[in-house]
Amino acid sequence: MRKMNRFLYPAFLPLLGIILLGGCKSADKEEKTANANLSPEQSHQSMVEQLAAIAKESKSENDYFGDRHYKQLLAQVERTKDKPSPDTLLSLGLAELKLGMVTSAIGHMEQALLITKDEAESGVRKRDVLYWLGVACLRQAEAENCCAQNTPDSCIVPIKDDGIHLNREGSSQAVKYFTQVIQTTPRNSESNIRARWLLNLAAMTLGDYPEGVPAQYRVAASYFESTTKFPRFKNIAKQHGLDTFSSAGGIIVDDFDNDGDLDLVVSDSNPGVPRAVPICNIRGPLGASNTTTGGQLKYYQNKGDGNFSDQTDAANLTGLFGGLNINQADFNNDGWLDILVLRGGWFKDEGKHPNSLLRNNGDGTFTDITLRAGLAEINQPSQTASWADYDLDGDLDLYLGNERQSHDPPSQLFRNNGDETFTNVAREAGVTNDRFAKAVIWGDYDHDHYPDLYVSNFGAKNRLYHNNGDGTFTDVADKHGVSGPSVSFPCWFWDYDNDGHLDLYVSSYAAKMDDIAANAFGYQINIETAKLYKNTGSGFRDVAAKMNLISPSSPMGSNFGDLNGDGYLDFYLGTGWPEYDELMPNRMYLNRGGKKFADVTMAGGFGHLQKGHGIAFADFDQDGDQDVFEEMGGAVKGDSYFNALWKNPGFGNHWITIKLVGTKTNRSAIGARIRIDIEEGKQTRSIYRHMNSGGTFGANPLQQNIGLGQASKIKLLEVEWPVSGTTQSFSEVALDQVISITEGLDKITFLSHE
């Protein structure tokens, strides 16, 4: 019998596969049919129940928010009370740090340090313990100052004024431990460089930088200065009740209730695990009473007077947890912006975290219709998505970029069926990618009206899928020389030099904290840097070095906008890595007339040290210039922080805000193109905008706030609509107005902006 099985098995295996696959397909089809028959309310309730089950399991099992690993290590230490292993004690301390249990972590690490001394353990292990003690003490200082006594200057380098810590114990201890690491490691080693960098930051929080840092350990003061004169933006999030305390997540700024004011939606990757509120309750054990359920999607309605009201519960969003990224679109062309929530990114329990499509009901509420819409098909870890009408049929389709954990999951192209359902056509279209997708963005780079697709992949070549106009795509990234960097994250299409062609920015995610530190100390580093691919009209060429964009940074959140209202697009990078000890300032770049970018991080007060995620440029207060909102917070529960809103102090430039309404083109007008010719001095120049929500981690308003510099008048305003193929032209348009243009109507509607 064994011999028979041996020879039958190879022939039987394909048959078995067909049987199993057929069974799976049959089951999937049945489930899809059942989901399609759900009412919107049933679909919503089913999602809430599914997320509640995930939250329950995540309290223990989730790699970033669960406590299973901590409990295992604690039990191991308790079993060996007489002589616990220093390795186990350090591991326990690190697990506690990730959960926000800073005081307990310091205690266990100090115990590990005593054992290494008593047993004369190797210097490497001792230096590891010293380093992490420094990190833990620095985070204790953060909790007792930046969290407990949060100010607009907290955690923003160069740390000064109200950012200086009143409680000095944590940072003083951190300085002591980092100094010991520095003294016992080779000067150019990674551990030495990292310790020196953190020593400088700790000294800043004490007000002891630069004089209090030994010259041989000091980062030159010039590193924290800007060579470009630029006003400081003030963080006013707390003043307006928008300083949500969260982990990594996304944001959308847009008008969800159609009242003319910009509202705010904030997500949080926490899948529903309780955490301290705020985490500065560092001495509390797990399960302390001062906790709340983390990860709730939040909706803040603009009250029209500069303040916001939390309408999460009234909007029917309670129970919708998780979401590393979010964006918006009017997917059903009903005139109300809907919300897409992306879950599962970074998590290893792939397939367990469904995304959500939240339909705006037009009455202040949202309904999760993911299941009945067919978007729950083949759940994969995804943190990136982009909307476009790739087939020019008048409604928005959706591309989901999926991450790799144990395998390369295919990315998904969901074609909009026009009836609030979608069909995955990625395989037929040739855009499955089958790589570790970190960002996706649509843009019509060859100006044929059909949107093309760029996919940024981690650890593999990026894709530029050219839209063939027949429902299929061809990867032309190698042909056009835009397949790098090989380790990339956010990306976007934009026209940075206002020449009418869509250019492409692709970030590099290669720099760790020691690379940032080495650069600060003046060392040469050899890592991949960002790419700025200029579209010449006949191809692309990388101009990042020429444009001053090759300094090391590792952005996660990102977006672009016009800070000074000169008509040229600037951009902000929310930097960091999931690792707990990675601290690097977020970066702001100012566009100097399309000729070069200047780093205005330090001058503008944008150098926040907390992990940066969702970013949006938006005119929150309707004064004509763009403010900047950023969701702060890291990957683990113990790395949460307050979100930030930087108010634009104003530059005295003119502006116009344009809301486009598609009729044949999708209602959101995504994919339309705006051209404005202004008269400025004795010259005429053009400003271009391509309709989308900006970058790939954070969503700007779809209505376009466009800086006009010192224009004396708008000579010409053009809107090009991709589906109808028409161009509307208007002359002598008034400056400093909010207007609406509808496809097919040859008149401008002026909207109130007061």
Side-chain angles (χ1 to χ4, degrees), residues 105-125:
I106 291 174
H108 286 121
M109 290 179 185
E110 287 175 338
Q111 190 178 355
L113 185 62
L114 286 174
I115 296 173
T116 58
K117 286 180 179 179
D118 292 342
E119 297 185 356
E121 295 284 350
S122 67
V124 174
R125 181 177 294 171

Side-chain angles (χ1 to χ4, degrees), residues 499-559:
D499 66 354
H501 301 299
L502 271 181
D503 311 299
L504 177 63
Y505 178 88
V506 191
S507 69
S508 170
Y509 198 63
K512 301 296 287 281
M513 185 175 71
D514 48 288
D515 297 304
I516 305 298
N519 182 62
F521 287 119
Y523 298 151
Q524 275 196 325
I525 56 176
N526 183 27
I527 59 171
E528 276 192 313
T529 54
K531 301 290 187 181
L532 176 59
Y533 295 114
K534 176 180 171 57
N535 188 340
T536 65
S538 58
F540 291 89
R541 73 171 187 269
D542 180 19
V543 296
K546 177 184 176 182
M547 298 298 291
N548 192 36
L549 294 178
I550 57 173
S551 294
S553 63
S554 286
M556 298 175 288
S558 62
N559 219 321

